[in-house]
Amino acid sequence: MKRSWSIDRKFWPLLITVSLFVLLYIYGIIQYRGFSSPQVFFNLLVDNAFLMITSIGMTFVILSGGIDLSVGAVIAFTGVLSAWLLNHFGLSPAIVIPLMLLMGVVFGATMGAIIEFFKVQPFIVTLAGMFFARGMSFVISTQAQTISDPFYRTIGLYRIHLWGKSFISANVVIVAIVLIAAIYLAHFTRFGRTVYAIGGNEQSALLMGLPVRRTKILIYTLNGFCSTLAGVVFSIYMLSGHGLYVSGLELDAIASVVIGGTQLTGGVGYVIGTVFGVLIQGLIQTIIMFQGTLSSWWTKIAVGALTLIFIGVQSIIYSSKRKRMASAQRVATATTTAPAAPATAGD
Amino acid sequence: MQTNELLVMQGIHKTFPGVHALAAVDFTLRAGEIHALMGENGAGKSTLIKVLTGVEHHDAGHILLNGSEINAKSPHHAQSLGISTVYQEVNLCTNLSVAENILLGREPRRAGSIDWGAMNARARELLTWLDVDVDVRRSVGEYPVAVQQMVAISRALDIDAKVLILDEPTSSLTTLETEKLFAVLRRLKEQGIGIIFITHFLNQVYAVADRITVLRNGKLVGTYDAKALPRYQLVELMIGRELEELEDLGGLKKHFEPAPGQAPVLEAKNLGQVGTLEPLNIKLYAGEVLGMAGLLGSGRTETANLLFGVDDADSGTLAVGGKVEPNPGPLASIQRGLGYCPEDRKADGVVGALTVRENIVLALQASRGWFNYLDPRKQTEIANKMIQMLQISTPGPEQLMKNLSGGNQQKVILARWLATEPDVLILDEPTRGIDVGTKAEIQKLVLSLANEGKGCIFISSELDEVLRTSHRVMIMRDRKLVAELQGEDMNEQSIMEAIAGTGVSTEDTAAAAPQHAVAAGSAR
Amino acid sequence: MNDNTGWWARLRRTGIFWPLVALSLVFLFNLIFSPQFFRLEIKDGHLFGSLVDVLNRGSPLMLVAIGMTAVIATAGVDLSVGAVIAISAATVTVLIGSVTGESQTPMWIAILAALGASLLAGAWNGLLVSRARIQPMVATLVLMVAGRGIAQLITNGQIITIYYEPFFFIGGGYLLGLPFPVFIVAGVFAFAWFMTRRTAIGLFIESVGTNASSSFHSGINEKNIKLVIYAFCGLCAGFAGLIISSNLKSADANNAGLQIELDGILAVVIGGTLMSGGRFSLAGSILGALLVQSVSTTIYSLGVPPEVVQVVKAVVVLTVVLLYSDVVKNGLDKLSQRQGVPS
Ligand SMILES: Nc1ncnc2c1ncn2[C@@H]1O[C@H](COP(=O)(O)OP(=O)(O)OP(=O)(O)O)[C@@H](O)[C@H]1O
Ligand SMILES: [Mg+2]
């Protein structure tokens, strides 16, 4: 009798995120003229491509119970460094892009190794990583640098036309590939399942003989890769690099993951939820833009309030789930066991 | 003799801050034997296992597997060496499915990606060995501890191992489930696997073990053939004292009859909570020990939670010392003279990062409030008194709670409640995972508290223990109070009958259990 | 195992040993590379010098660190302190107003209002964490994002500059030769120390931070503890907001206390309190805050370009935190045992 219920429950936070997105979207369409144009939706994808990529990486980190504050700074640094390499050394994008991705891998792996081998809290290590990456961006250049490389410009301005007048950018295709790869990774590989296990209970995962250390290092490596990939996508989108760009982006990424239904304590959540988390934040901005008269700080208040509402609902679900689980447990135990009367030396 | 020595541990030393947990311990395991590791709480059994499996690292000594030296760096490494382990506390990832918990790290794969169908099928197969019927796709956290323990065991059984280690695997299992486990163990033994088995249940040791190694205070006492070592002698080896002292409850248990006109110290009328506990009536008199028997999940813990105000009742009243208070909560309950040792020690009792002293004074301080701070000197005094009284084995009151062995943690929690000098003490499974010596001490303690005029509610899965200590027994079944027995009527047979439902004898219950298990599995 | 009673051993076991070591390292660096760091002068009866500067400039951070310590000890975190600083600064400046030489509201009312608003903001966090059971990082993220919006609402989106002398004393005045903010820090610290070490609150915080369920079963009102602690943390941020706005003689809702939450958390961790909660050390956090501030001051006084500050900070943070890690500590323990260092 409870069967259908409980299977749904696992997906509830996800469902709520998706419905919230749909509701907001409908609200926008009803309220504002021009909102119903498909391009409004596609712009959400185009404008938030880099945020999606980095948030997907962040999802793995958070699923494992960790956190990575360095992503925004790494994105900015990637932009600055690639602009510098392209402009000053005339390096080809065929070298610069792989180099950037390699840098992300090394950067992430280093942070992961420090976290794991020295048992330092991820919050602190990645905070240091953030300071480092931001600082290095300014060391390279204190000014914004325009990227004039023809390849970057072509890709950046290229439009993939869909039906009607709507279009997406090449970056959106990259997001799609990353998303599919991430879902596969999370649900069909040992690495992915170990991430969930570590987030569920790290001590248990260790005692179960899972390769906890290796996996944790890999998680930060993966996220380093994702953030430099996001950085590349971002520099293609902006066609410039500056150390001041995307400050505080790490919080947007974390918020997206959380709004997407992933628990910050780890172990529970889905990659696809994160995508909707990003879309919801983008939608709020779009709505406020369409509204026109509200000052920009209202965005902050709205995002804050929405996160709150969402988290509130989510925590209600989780707590009622826990209660329900407890009672299910009672029912189950009441019938499983036969009397236990193991005698001890006492008798 | 020497030929089939599978695993040899020589001169193992391990120290923790302030504790010499293992001192020059030797241990050998032969292929195709079940070797029981015995000892009191804190003797060093789990530590020996942890050293062997790479959770901890020994300070000195050698470990040889099949004649060549090994040094496991992590449980992962130990597994790859062929050592498979079920650790003492159930260690699973409750957010993952049953199947995953069994097969994580060894998932069947097709073309590099996890084959979920094959995985679920394999998990189901493994669980049928132990006659557990659950939906392997549901998350393991939704199942009771007994099922979780079975899942942990299945996981260890599936690993292709030369050495299988089980650290108190049966603490939450029923006789029947234990039997099934033993059948599997015997089968594995035939296949030449060496099995190390740790338990505090002596019957179980004699049921399966070929040899017994006894540890005491981190030192090796000796290794013996199970057949050649009588029970009482084993106990004496473990505790290093004569058994007689233990057996005797010192005439503490006297017949109890409330004095005429004596008001109950605790009285519940129609106390219940929809869905968890049907309304019940309880009367407890000062000086009485009221036992509570029943299966895991029969409503015993729920009753205790309502009595202590952990959960709010939605019907009935609870009077302590004649005074009724609606929805008191733990704090108010302490202040009206209740104390409660919860069942799940690790989750609801232990505060690991604090010292033994702080753990002991915690409830007392809570009842005094935020600003009425106990002088640290006074705290130490109380802690020392309790450590002495309960013979808690710790280097001192400033040792961290998390460094104590399981049994000693339990004693500290008991001490926490004794320090509040309660009128009524509710003990939920206070002797689980506790060695024989300590167990007898706790039983004595309960009775002497009663003799001092306190009321006690004593919840336990072990019938003989309930019988030894209680003046009266309440029996719970299916979240209902089904019987109350005292005097002549109170014996093992009658309690079993009440637990199982009227008229069913013990054998029938056992036979009927598999069907129940099926029913449980389908209650998904 | 061997004698654990020497002063060295005793010092090492106290919580503040490692923060002290870390701070000494920074001072040592200064001693070698910029000795003028230690020069102290008395001008007009006031003490001047880099050390005094560290104390003065570091006071908002120290205040934040005190509140943050308590929050982190309950296994929480407060990301909103920067936003609360902005709210406090906005409130006090709006109430004082930008008329030269006078205050539109009596100054003490303006100050109380700012502190009240901060306390309220903290209590709001506390309610979300304790009653709505929202994870602290998320709960305080809400106010972190929305709080600056609220501060902007208060100032109506403008940077308000004030011209009221008496208010400047809070951030810039001197008492007994020392900057006045130091006394605010000392007062708040003394209060926090007394409340946590001379009442049961400290024990309860550590207990709740280690295992909330066990604490609840032992009769500790875990919810109220958290509520009070978050409120207190808000109050600390409020004081910091007063100092900052008085120093800058203005309130900038966007930038007041920007990223101070990160420095605050850093100070707490350097001070030896674990982010997973439980044991905490207020003195350690103060030392941590001083360390963070000395690093910045040192870098500036060395004439290093400001862009590099963050890189240096990253390196210092990492070094310090690695120094603390069990791996290094155990290595040192072994070393000192082998060499028979007085232990
Ligand atoms: N991590 C640790 N740090 C400090 N002391 C520890 C640690 N782990 C165990 N000990 C101590 O080592 C001793 C042996 O503990 P161990 O867990 O091996 O006992 P045990 O024989 O398994 O007891 P039980 O039957 O209660 O499980 C105990 O005194 C315990 O307090
Ligand atoms: Mg043990």
Side-chain angles (χ1 to χ4, degrees), chain A residues 1-3 6-7 10 184 186-190 193-194 196-212 214 266-268 321 324-347, chain B residues 55 75-76 79 87 91-93 95-96 100-101 104-107 109 112-114 116 138 141-144 155 173-175 177 201-204 235 247 276 295-297 302 436 439 461-464 468 478-479 492 496 499 509 513 516-517 520 524:
Chain A
M1 57 206 153
K2 285 174 191 157
R3 190 176 308 175
S6 53
I7 287 178
K10 209 161 98 180
Y184 176 80
H187 296 283
F188 293 96
T189 65
R190 284 189 184 164
R193 301 322 293 167
T194 309
Y196 277 88
I198 294 174
N201 188 336
E202 186 170 339
Q203 182 65 16
S204 293
L206 196 74
L207 291 181
M208 283 163 98
L210 299 177
V212 172
R214 188 176 66 203
V268 183
K321 183 172 163 186
R324 210 187 47 81
M325 249 163 58
S327 66
Q329 195 163 325
R330 279 181 212 116
V331 176
T333 21
T335 45
T336 344
T337 46
T344 58
D347 57 35
Chain B
V55 180
H76 180 57
Q79 266 183 24
Y87 293 93
N91 282 289
L92 296 172
C93 295
N95 58 326
L96 298 181
E100 281 194 271
N101 270 290
L104 214 58
R106 283 169 286 112
E107 300 95 335
R109 288 187 290 188
S113 59
I114 293 174
W116 285 87
R138 298 272 308 252
E142 295 180 30
Y143 290 103
R155 179 180 174 81
L173 299 189
T174 62
T175 331
E177 288 164 328
F201 297 126
L202 296 191
N203 309 8
Q204 299 185 359
V235 175
E247 274 301 281
T276 53
L295 302 178
L296 270 175
E302 289 74 6
V436 258
K439 206 173 233 177
S461 299
E462 291 175 39
L463 288 191
D464 60 306
R468 266 160 71 83
D478 293 343
R479 290 169 286 151
E492 199 148 326
M496 285 280 221
I499 287 177
T509 327
H516 284 308
R524 47 192 89 128

Side-chain angles (χ1 to χ4, degrees), chain C residues 63-183:
Chain C
L63 286 168
V64 165
I66 292 172
M68 192 70 83
T69 309
V71 168
I72 288 183
T74 64
V77 71
D78 188 349
L79 297 180
S80 72
V81 284
V84 174
I85 285 179
I87 291 177
S88 156
T91 311
V92 78
T93 45
V94 162
L95 286 179
I96 287 177
S98 22
V99 181
T100 311
E102 57 185 89
S103 172
Q104 264 140 354
T105 328
M107 188 171 83
W108 63 273
I109 290 187
I111 289 174
L112 279 186
L115 292 179
S118 317
L119 193 71
L120 221 60
W124 161 258
N125 283 333
L127 281 177
L128 289 187
V129 172
S130 69
R131 298 311 198 277
R133 303 236 153 255
I134 298 177
Q135 297 159 21
M137 207 185 271
V138 182
T140 56
L141 188 70
V142 170
L143 192 60
M144 176 189 189
V145 176
R148 292 205 181 267
I150 293 169
Q152 256 157 342
L153 279 184
I154 296 174
T155 62
N156 213 358
Q158 282 151 352
I159 297 179
I160 295 180
T161 311
I162 43 175
Y163 310 94
Y164 181 60
E165 276 298 329
F167 182 64
F168 300 158
F169 182 79
I170 294 178
Y174 278 81
L175 196 67
L176 306 172
L178 282 172
F180 185 66
V182 175
F183 292 92

Side-chain angles (χ1 to χ4, degrees), chain B residues 16-17 19 21 39-48 50 56 88 167-168 200 393 399 402-408 433 435:
Chain B
F16 293 113
V19 185
E40 288 186 287
N41 296 126
K45 306 177 296 289
S46 298
T47 306
L48 190 69
K50 286 182 182 162
E56 304 280 359
Q88 181 165 10
D167 192 350
E168 294 197 34
H200 287 295
S393 117
Q399 176 70 305
K402 63 175 173 221
N403 293 342
L404 260 55
S405 83
N408 283 304
D435 65 63

Side-chain angles (χ1 to χ4, degrees), chain C residues 7 27 45 70-71 161 171 180 218 239:
Chain C
W7 64 270
F27 281 179
V71 168
T161 311
F180 185 66
S218 305
F239 276 110

